[in-house]
Amino acid sequence: MKHRPEKATRPVPIPPEPVKLLREHTELYGTAPDGRLFRTFRNGMVQESGYGVVWAAARAAVLSGEEQATPLAKRPYDARHAGISLWLASGVPVAECARRAGHSIAVLLRVYAKCIHGDEDHANRLITERLQRRTTSTPTTEDP
């Protein structure tokens, strides 16, 4: 982890569906003797160059030629950006996204908020629903 002591750890809660996938993967492939999920055929550390080769092959297998010509998932680290952007786009509160990502809220918004696209209709629906609740309810001293 960047800017942290070498042996530092950080708990990262994961939703049930990815937990299920990880359990299936470990049942099928096991882990390295030290518990690492990703390793070489001889249980060694996967070097950066090894990730690159596998990542390029996986990217070619799942993306169309047009998609491969874009920066979409160009590097393995892009999966982190995609995951955090997914949390935000899914409506997970910003503070919880920041906690899970190990960022401050300011860093999270500076880096990831610009990655969310295509949710304009959903945002408009939420705003309209809130405005309709406001106009159909009887005003009270508690209403903002």
Short mmCIF file of all heavy atoms in Angstrom, two decimals, residues 57-116:
data_model
loop_
_atom_site.label_atom_id
_atom_site.label_comp_id
_atom_site.label_asym_id
_atom_site.label_seq_id
_atom_site.Cartn_x
_atom_site.Cartn_y
_atom_site.Cartn_z
N ALA A 57 -3.65 -10.67 -22.36
CA ALA A 57 -4.38 -11.82 -22.93
C ALA A 57 -5.84 -11.81 -22.48
O ALA A 57 -6.75 -12.05 -23.28
CB ALA A 57 -3.70 -13.12 -22.52
N ALA A 58 -6.08 -11.51 -21.21
CA ALA A 58 -7.45 -11.47 -20.70
C ALA A 58 -8.23 -10.33 -21.36
O ALA A 58 -9.39 -10.50 -21.75
CB ALA A 58 -7.44 -11.29 -19.19
N ARG A 59 -7.59 -9.20 -21.51
CA ARG A 59 -8.23 -8.04 -22.14
C ARG A 59 -8.62 -8.36 -23.58
O ARG A 59 -9.71 -8.06 -24.03
CB ARG A 59 -7.26 -6.87 -22.07
CG ARG A 59 -7.85 -5.53 -22.37
CD ARG A 59 -6.82 -4.42 -22.09
NE ARG A 59 -7.39 -3.14 -22.38
CZ ARG A 59 -7.32 -2.55 -23.56
NH1 ARG A 59 -6.65 -3.12 -24.55
NH2 ARG A 59 -7.89 -1.37 -23.75
N ALA A 60 -7.70 -9.03 -24.29
CA ALA A 60 -7.98 -9.41 -25.68
C ALA A 60 -9.12 -10.42 -25.76
O ALA A 60 -9.90 -10.42 -26.72
CB ALA A 60 -6.72 -9.98 -26.32
N ALA A 61 -9.24 -11.26 -24.74
CA ALA A 61 -10.28 -12.30 -24.75
C ALA A 61 -11.67 -11.74 -24.48
O ALA A 61 -12.65 -12.32 -24.94
CB ALA A 61 -9.94 -13.37 -23.70
N VAL A 62 -11.77 -10.64 -23.75
CA VAL A 62 -13.10 -10.17 -23.35
C VAL A 62 -13.54 -8.86 -23.99
O VAL A 62 -14.73 -8.53 -23.95
CB VAL A 62 -13.22 -10.04 -21.81
CG1 VAL A 62 -12.99 -11.38 -21.14
CG2 VAL A 62 -12.27 -9.00 -21.25
N LEU A 63 -12.62 -8.11 -24.56
CA LEU A 63 -13.00 -6.83 -25.18
C LEU A 63 -13.06 -6.96 -26.69
O LEU A 63 -12.28 -7.70 -27.29
CB LEU A 63 -11.99 -5.73 -24.80
CG LEU A 63 -11.85 -5.39 -23.32
CD1 LEU A 63 -10.80 -4.29 -23.14
CD2 LEU A 63 -13.18 -4.96 -22.72
N SER A 64 -13.96 -6.19 -27.29
CA SER A 64 -14.02 -6.15 -28.75
C SER A 64 -12.78 -5.43 -29.27
O SER A 64 -12.06 -4.76 -28.51
CB SER A 64 -15.27 -5.39 -29.19
OG SER A 64 -15.13 -4.01 -28.88
N GLY A 65 -12.52 -5.54 -30.56
CA GLY A 65 -11.38 -4.85 -31.16
C GLY A 65 -11.47 -3.35 -30.94
O GLY A 65 -10.48 -2.67 -30.67
N GLU A 66 -12.69 -2.81 -31.05
CA GLU A 66 -12.91 -1.38 -30.84
C GLU A 66 -12.59 -0.99 -29.40
O GLU A 66 -11.94 0.03 -29.15
CB GLU A 66 -14.36 -1.03 -31.18
CG GLU A 66 -14.68 0.45 -31.14
CD GLU A 66 -16.11 0.72 -31.55
OE1 GLU A 66 -16.46 0.39 -32.70
OE2 GLU A 66 -16.87 1.25 -30.71
N GLU A 67 -13.01 -1.81 -28.45
CA GLU A 67 -12.73 -1.53 -27.04
C GLU A 67 -11.24 -1.65 -26.74
O GLU A 67 -10.70 -0.88 -25.95
CB GLU A 67 -13.52 -2.48 -26.14
CG GLU A 67 -15.01 -2.23 -26.14
CD GLU A 67 -15.81 -3.33 -25.47
OE1 GLU A 67 -15.40 -4.51 -25.56
OE2 GLU A 67 -16.85 -3.01 -24.87
N GLN A 68 -10.57 -2.62 -27.38
CA GLN A 68 -9.14 -2.79 -27.15
C GLN A 68 -8.34 -1.59 -27.63
O GLN A 68 -7.25 -1.33 -27.13
CB GLN A 68 -8.64 -4.06 -27.85
CG GLN A 68 -9.11 -5.33 -27.19
CD GLN A 68 -8.65 -6.55 -27.96
OE1 GLN A 68 -7.47 -6.68 -28.24
NE2 GLN A 68 -9.58 -7.44 -28.28
N ALA A 69 -8.88 -0.85 -28.59
CA ALA A 69 -8.18 0.33 -29.11
C ALA A 69 -8.31 1.53 -28.17
O ALA A 69 -7.64 2.54 -28.39
CB ALA A 69 -8.74 0.69 -30.49
N THR A 70 -9.11 1.41 -27.13
CA THR A 70 -9.29 2.50 -26.16
C THR A 70 -8.43 2.23 -24.92
O THR A 70 -7.90 1.14 -24.76
CB THR A 70 -10.77 2.60 -25.73
OG1 THR A 70 -11.09 1.49 -24.88
CG2 THR A 70 -11.70 2.65 -26.93
N PRO A 71 -8.38 3.19 -23.99
CA PRO A 71 -7.64 2.95 -22.74
C PRO A 71 -8.41 2.09 -21.73
O PRO A 71 -7.92 1.84 -20.64
CB PRO A 71 -7.39 4.36 -22.19
CG PRO A 71 -8.28 5.28 -22.92
CD PRO A 71 -8.75 4.59 -24.16
N LEU A 72 -9.59 1.61 -22.09
CA LEU A 72 -10.41 0.81 -21.18
C LEU A 72 -9.63 -0.38 -20.63
O LEU A 72 -9.13 -1.21 -21.39
CB LEU A 72 -11.66 0.31 -21.91
CG LEU A 72 -12.60 -0.60 -21.13
CD1 LEU A 72 -13.24 0.15 -19.97
CD2 LEU A 72 -13.67 -1.16 -22.05
N ALA A 73 -9.49 -0.43 -19.31
CA ALA A 73 -8.81 -1.54 -18.62
C ALA A 73 -7.42 -1.81 -19.21
O ALA A 73 -7.00 -2.95 -19.31
CB ALA A 73 -9.66 -2.80 -18.68
N LYS A 74 -6.72 -0.76 -19.54
CA LYS A 74 -5.40 -0.92 -20.15
C LYS A 74 -4.39 -1.56 -19.19
O LYS A 74 -3.54 -2.32 -19.62
CB LYS A 74 -4.89 0.46 -20.60
CG LYS A 74 -3.80 0.42 -21.61
CD LYS A 74 -4.32 0.03 -22.95
CE LYS A 74 -3.38 0.40 -24.07
NZ LYS A 74 -3.84 -0.09 -25.34
N ARG A 75 -4.50 -1.23 -17.89
CA ARG A 75 -3.58 -1.76 -16.90
C ARG A 75 -4.36 -2.49 -15.81
O ARG A 75 -5.52 -2.15 -15.56
CB ARG A 75 -2.79 -0.64 -16.21
CG ARG A 75 -2.17 0.36 -17.13
CD ARG A 75 -1.85 1.66 -16.40
NE ARG A 75 -3.09 2.26 -15.87
CZ ARG A 75 -3.15 3.12 -14.87
NH1 ARG A 75 -2.07 3.51 -14.26
NH2 ARG A 75 -4.29 3.62 -14.46
N PRO A 76 -3.75 -3.45 -15.14
CA PRO A 76 -4.47 -4.12 -14.04
C PRO A 76 -4.99 -3.13 -13.00
O PRO A 76 -6.08 -3.31 -12.46
CB PRO A 76 -3.42 -5.06 -13.44
CG PRO A 76 -2.50 -5.35 -14.57
CD PRO A 76 -2.45 -4.07 -15.38
N TYR A 77 -4.24 -2.08 -12.73
CA TYR A 77 -4.66 -1.09 -11.72
C TYR A 77 -5.97 -0.42 -12.09
O TYR A 77 -6.70 0.07 -11.24
CB TYR A 77 -3.56 -0.05 -11.51
CG TYR A 77 -3.77 0.79 -10.27
CD1 TYR A 77 -3.55 0.26 -9.00
CD2 TYR A 77 -4.20 2.11 -10.36
CE1 TYR A 77 -3.74 1.02 -7.86
CE2 TYR A 77 -4.40 2.87 -9.23
CZ TYR A 77 -4.17 2.33 -7.98
OH TYR A 77 -4.38 3.08 -6.85
N ASP A 78 -6.30 -0.41 -13.39
CA ASP A 78 -7.55 0.20 -13.83
C ASP A 78 -8.76 -0.52 -13.23
O ASP A 78 -9.83 0.08 -13.10
CB ASP A 78 -7.65 0.20 -15.36
CG ASP A 78 -6.58 1.09 -16.00
OD1 ASP A 78 -6.12 2.04 -15.34
OD2 ASP A 78 -6.22 0.82 -17.16
N ALA A 79 -8.60 -1.78 -12.86
CA ALA A 79 -9.71 -2.51 -12.24
C ALA A 79 -10.08 -1.88 -10.90
O ALA A 79 -11.25 -1.86 -10.51
CB ALA A 79 -9.34 -3.99 -12.07
N ARG A 80 -9.10 -1.36 -10.18
CA ARG A 80 -9.38 -0.68 -8.91
C ARG A 80 -10.23 0.56 -9.18
O ARG A 80 -11.22 0.81 -8.51
CB ARG A 80 -8.07 -0.31 -8.22
CG ARG A 80 -8.26 0.53 -6.95
CD ARG A 80 -6.91 0.80 -6.29
NE ARG A 80 -6.97 1.86 -5.32
CZ ARG A 80 -7.46 1.74 -4.08
NH1 ARG A 80 -7.93 0.58 -3.68
NH2 ARG A 80 -7.47 2.76 -3.26
N HIS A 81 -9.82 1.34 -10.18
CA HIS A 81 -10.58 2.54 -10.53
C HIS A 81 -12.00 2.17 -10.94
O HIS A 81 -12.96 2.83 -10.54
CB HIS A 81 -9.89 3.30 -11.66
CG HIS A 81 -8.65 4.01 -11.23
ND1 HIS A 81 -8.62 5.33 -10.87
CD2 HIS A 81 -7.39 3.56 -11.08
CE1 HIS A 81 -7.40 5.67 -10.53
NE2 HIS A 81 -6.63 4.62 -10.64
N ALA A 82 -12.12 1.11 -11.73
CA ALA A 82 -13.46 0.69 -12.17
C ALA A 82 -14.31 0.25 -10.99
O ALA A 82 -15.50 0.58 -10.91
CB ALA A 82 -13.32 -0.46 -13.19
N GLY A 83 -13.71 -0.49 -10.06
CA GLY A 83 -14.46 -0.96 -8.89
C GLY A 83 -14.94 0.19 -8.03
O GLY A 83 -16.11 0.23 -7.62
N ILE A 84 -14.06 1.13 -7.75
CA ILE A 84 -14.44 2.26 -6.90
C ILE A 84 -15.48 3.13 -7.61
O ILE A 84 -16.43 3.60 -6.99
CB ILE A 84 -13.19 3.06 -6.47
CG1 ILE A 84 -12.31 2.17 -5.58
CG2 ILE A 84 -13.59 4.34 -5.73
CD1 ILE A 84 -10.91 2.72 -5.32
N SER A 85 -15.31 3.32 -8.91
CA SER A 85 -16.31 4.07 -9.67
C SER A 85 -17.66 3.36 -9.64
O SER A 85 -18.71 4.00 -9.55
CB SER A 85 -15.84 4.26 -11.11
OG SER A 85 -14.66 5.02 -11.15
N LEU A 86 -17.64 2.04 -9.70
CA LEU A 86 -18.87 1.26 -9.61
C LEU A 86 -19.56 1.47 -8.27
O LEU A 86 -20.78 1.64 -8.20
CB LEU A 86 -18.58 -0.23 -9.82
CG LEU A 86 -19.78 -1.17 -9.59
CD1 LEU A 86 -20.75 -1.06 -10.75
CD2 LEU A 86 -19.32 -2.58 -9.40
N TRP A 87 -18.77 1.49 -7.18
CA TRP A 87 -19.37 1.72 -5.86
C TRP A 87 -20.08 3.07 -5.84
O TRP A 87 -21.22 3.17 -5.40
CB TRP A 87 -18.30 1.75 -4.76
CG TRP A 87 -17.48 0.51 -4.60
CD1 TRP A 87 -17.76 -0.75 -5.09
CD2 TRP A 87 -16.23 0.40 -3.94
NE1 TRP A 87 -16.75 -1.61 -4.74
CE2 TRP A 87 -15.81 -0.93 -4.03
CE3 TRP A 87 -15.43 1.31 -3.26
CZ2 TRP A 87 -14.62 -1.38 -3.46
CZ3 TRP A 87 -14.25 0.87 -2.70
CH2 TRP A 87 -13.85 -0.47 -2.80
N LEU A 88 -19.40 4.10 -6.34
CA LEU A 88 -20.00 5.44 -6.35
C LEU A 88 -21.25 5.47 -7.22
O LEU A 88 -22.29 5.99 -6.81
CB LEU A 88 -18.98 6.47 -6.85
CG LEU A 88 -17.86 6.82 -5.88
CD1 LEU A 88 -16.76 7.57 -6.60
CD2 LEU A 88 -18.41 7.64 -4.72
N ALA A 89 -21.16 4.89 -8.42
CA ALA A 89 -22.30 4.89 -9.34
C ALA A 89 -23.47 4.07 -8.79
O ALA A 89 -24.62 4.31 -9.14
CB ALA A 89 -21.88 4.36 -10.71
N SER A 90 -23.16 3.11 -7.93
CA SER A 90 -24.21 2.27 -7.34
C SER A 90 -24.93 2.96 -6.20
O SER A 90 -25.90 2.44 -5.67
CB SER A 90 -23.60 0.96 -6.84
OG SER A 90 -23.05 0.24 -7.91
N GLY A 91 -24.42 4.12 -5.79
CA GLY A 91 -25.05 4.85 -4.72
C GLY A 91 -24.49 4.57 -3.34
O GLY A 91 -25.06 4.98 -2.34
N VAL A 92 -23.35 3.86 -3.27
CA VAL A 92 -22.71 3.64 -1.97
C VAL A 92 -22.28 5.01 -1.45
O VAL A 92 -21.70 5.80 -2.21
CB VAL A 92 -21.49 2.69 -2.10
CG1 VAL A 92 -20.75 2.56 -0.78
CG2 VAL A 92 -21.94 1.32 -2.61
N PRO A 93 -22.58 5.35 -0.21
CA PRO A 93 -22.20 6.67 0.31
C PRO A 93 -20.71 6.95 0.13
O PRO A 93 -19.87 6.06 0.26
CB PRO A 93 -22.57 6.59 1.79
CG PRO A 93 -23.65 5.56 1.85
CD PRO A 93 -23.30 4.55 0.80
N VAL A 94 -20.41 8.19 -0.19
CA VAL A 94 -19.04 8.60 -0.47
C VAL A 94 -18.10 8.24 0.68
O VAL A 94 -16.99 7.76 0.45
CB VAL A 94 -18.99 10.11 -0.78
CG1 VAL A 94 -17.55 10.60 -0.89
CG2 VAL A 94 -19.74 10.40 -2.07
N ALA A 95 -18.54 8.46 1.91
CA ALA A 95 -17.68 8.16 3.06
C ALA A 95 -17.34 6.68 3.12
O ALA A 95 -16.21 6.30 3.44
CB ALA A 95 -18.35 8.61 4.36
N GLU A 96 -18.30 5.81 2.79
CA GLU A 96 -18.03 4.37 2.81
C GLU A 96 -17.10 3.97 1.66
O GLU A 96 -16.21 3.14 1.83
CB GLU A 96 -19.34 3.58 2.73
CG GLU A 96 -19.18 2.08 2.69
CD GLU A 96 -18.50 1.47 3.92
OE1 GLU A 96 -18.30 2.16 4.95
OE2 GLU A 96 -18.15 0.28 3.86
N CYS A 97 -17.29 4.57 0.49
CA CYS A 97 -16.37 4.31 -0.63
C CYS A 97 -14.95 4.71 -0.26
O CYS A 97 -14.01 3.97 -0.52
CB CYS A 97 -16.82 5.07 -1.88
SG CYS A 97 -18.33 4.49 -2.64
N ALA A 98 -14.81 5.87 0.36
CA ALA A 98 -13.49 6.36 0.76
C ALA A 98 -12.86 5.41 1.77
O ALA A 98 -11.67 5.07 1.67
CB ALA A 98 -13.60 7.77 1.34
N ARG A 99 -13.64 4.96 2.74
CA ARG A 99 -13.12 4.04 3.76
C ARG A 99 -12.64 2.74 3.12
O ARG A 99 -11.54 2.26 3.38
CB ARG A 99 -14.21 3.73 4.80
CG ARG A 99 -13.72 2.86 5.95
CD ARG A 99 -14.87 2.55 6.92
NE ARG A 99 -15.79 1.56 6.39
CZ ARG A 99 -15.56 0.24 6.40
NH1 ARG A 99 -14.44 -0.24 6.90
NH2 ARG A 99 -16.45 -0.60 5.90
N ARG A 100 -13.45 2.17 2.24
CA ARG A 100 -13.08 0.92 1.59
C ARG A 100 -11.86 1.07 0.69
O ARG A 100 -11.04 0.17 0.58
CB ARG A 100 -14.25 0.38 0.77
CG ARG A 100 -15.37 -0.14 1.62
CD ARG A 100 -16.53 -0.63 0.78
NE ARG A 100 -17.60 -1.11 1.64
CZ ARG A 100 -18.26 -2.24 1.43
NH1 ARG A 100 -18.00 -3.00 0.39
NH2 ARG A 100 -19.20 -2.61 2.25
N ALA A 101 -11.74 2.23 0.05
CA ALA A 101 -10.62 2.47 -0.86
C ALA A 101 -9.35 2.88 -0.12
O ALA A 101 -8.27 2.86 -0.69
CB ALA A 101 -11.00 3.54 -1.88
N GLY A 102 -9.51 3.28 1.15
CA GLY A 102 -8.35 3.73 1.91
C GLY A 102 -7.96 5.16 1.56
O GLY A 102 -6.79 5.53 1.63
N HIS A 103 -8.94 5.96 1.15
CA HIS A 103 -8.72 7.35 0.77
C HIS A 103 -9.46 8.28 1.72
O HIS A 103 -10.41 7.88 2.38
CB HIS A 103 -9.27 7.63 -0.63
CG HIS A 103 -8.53 7.01 -1.75
ND1 HIS A 103 -7.17 7.14 -1.92
CD2 HIS A 103 -8.96 6.26 -2.78
CE1 HIS A 103 -6.81 6.49 -3.02
NE2 HIS A 103 -7.88 5.94 -3.55
N SER A 104 -9.06 9.53 1.69
CA SER A 104 -9.90 10.56 2.31
C SER A 104 -11.04 10.83 1.33
O SER A 104 -10.95 10.48 0.14
CB SER A 104 -9.10 11.85 2.53
OG SER A 104 -8.77 12.43 1.27
N ILE A 105 -12.09 11.45 1.82
CA ILE A 105 -13.21 11.80 0.94
C ILE A 105 -12.74 12.75 -0.16
O ILE A 105 -13.12 12.59 -1.32
CB ILE A 105 -14.38 12.38 1.75
CG1 ILE A 105 -15.00 11.28 2.62
CG2 ILE A 105 -15.43 13.00 0.83
CD1 ILE A 105 -16.05 11.76 3.61
N ALA A 106 -11.89 13.70 0.20
CA ALA A 106 -11.39 14.67 -0.79
C ALA A 106 -10.64 13.97 -1.93
O ALA A 106 -10.87 14.25 -3.11
CB ALA A 106 -10.50 15.70 -0.12
N VAL A 107 -9.77 13.02 -1.58
CA VAL A 107 -9.02 12.29 -2.61
C VAL A 107 -9.97 11.45 -3.45
O VAL A 107 -9.89 11.42 -4.68
CB VAL A 107 -7.92 11.41 -1.98
CG1 VAL A 107 -7.35 10.42 -2.99
CG2 VAL A 107 -6.81 12.28 -1.42
N LEU A 108 -10.89 10.78 -2.80
CA LEU A 108 -11.84 9.94 -3.53
C LEU A 108 -12.60 10.77 -4.57
O LEU A 108 -12.69 10.38 -5.74
CB LEU A 108 -12.84 9.29 -2.56
CG LEU A 108 -13.81 8.36 -3.27
CD1 LEU A 108 -13.26 6.95 -3.25
CD2 LEU A 108 -15.16 8.41 -2.64
N LEU A 109 -13.13 11.91 -4.16
CA LEU A 109 -13.89 12.73 -5.09
C LEU A 109 -13.02 13.33 -6.18
O LEU A 109 -13.43 13.41 -7.34
CB LEU A 109 -14.65 13.82 -4.34
CG LEU A 109 -15.76 13.31 -3.44
CD1 LEU A 109 -16.39 14.44 -2.65
CD2 LEU A 109 -16.83 12.56 -4.23
N ARG A 110 -11.80 13.71 -5.85
CA ARG A 110 -10.90 14.29 -6.85
C ARG A 110 -10.54 13.25 -7.91
O ARG A 110 -10.49 13.54 -9.10
CB ARG A 110 -9.64 14.84 -6.19
CG ARG A 110 -8.74 15.57 -7.18
CD ARG A 110 -7.53 16.21 -6.53
NE ARG A 110 -6.59 15.19 -6.06
CZ ARG A 110 -6.25 14.99 -4.80
NH1 ARG A 110 -6.76 15.73 -3.83
NH2 ARG A 110 -5.39 14.05 -4.46
N VAL A 111 -10.30 12.01 -7.49
CA VAL A 111 -9.82 10.98 -8.42
C VAL A 111 -10.96 10.25 -9.14
O VAL A 111 -10.87 9.97 -10.32
CB VAL A 111 -8.93 9.96 -7.67
CG1 VAL A 111 -8.53 8.81 -8.57
CG2 VAL A 111 -7.70 10.65 -7.11
N TYR A 112 -12.03 9.93 -8.41
CA TYR A 112 -13.03 9.02 -8.96
C TYR A 112 -14.34 9.64 -9.40
O TYR A 112 -15.02 9.08 -10.25
CB TYR A 112 -13.33 7.91 -7.95
CG TYR A 112 -12.12 7.07 -7.67
CD1 TYR A 112 -11.35 7.29 -6.54
CD2 TYR A 112 -11.71 6.08 -8.55
CE1 TYR A 112 -10.22 6.54 -6.28
CE2 TYR A 112 -10.58 5.34 -8.31
CZ TYR A 112 -9.83 5.57 -7.17
OH TYR A 112 -8.72 4.83 -6.94
N ALA A 113 -14.74 10.76 -8.84
CA ALA A 113 -16.06 11.31 -9.18
C ALA A 113 -16.19 11.59 -10.67
O ALA A 113 -17.25 11.45 -11.24
CB ALA A 113 -16.35 12.56 -8.37
N LYS A 114 -15.10 11.94 -11.32
CA LYS A 114 -15.15 12.24 -12.76
C LYS A 114 -15.30 10.98 -13.62
O LYS A 114 -15.52 11.06 -14.81
CB LYS A 114 -13.92 13.03 -13.17
CG LYS A 114 -12.62 12.25 -13.05
CD LYS A 114 -11.44 13.12 -13.42
CE LYS A 114 -10.13 12.43 -13.23
NZ LYS A 114 -9.69 12.31 -11.86
N CYS A 115 -15.18 9.81 -13.00
CA CYS A 115 -15.25 8.55 -13.75
C CYS A 115 -16.68 8.06 -13.96
O CYS A 115 -16.90 7.09 -14.66
CB CYS A 115 -14.47 7.45 -13.02
SG CYS A 115 -12.72 7.83 -12.82
N ILE A 116 -17.63 8.71 -13.32
CA ILE A 116 -19.01 8.23 -13.38
C ILE A 116 -19.71 8.88 -14.56
O ILE A 116 -19.82 10.10 -14.63
CB ILE A 116 -19.74 8.52 -12.07
CG1 ILE A 116 -19.00 7.88 -10.91
CG2 ILE A 116 -21.18 8.04 -12.13
CD1 ILE A 116 -19.51 8.30 -9.56
#
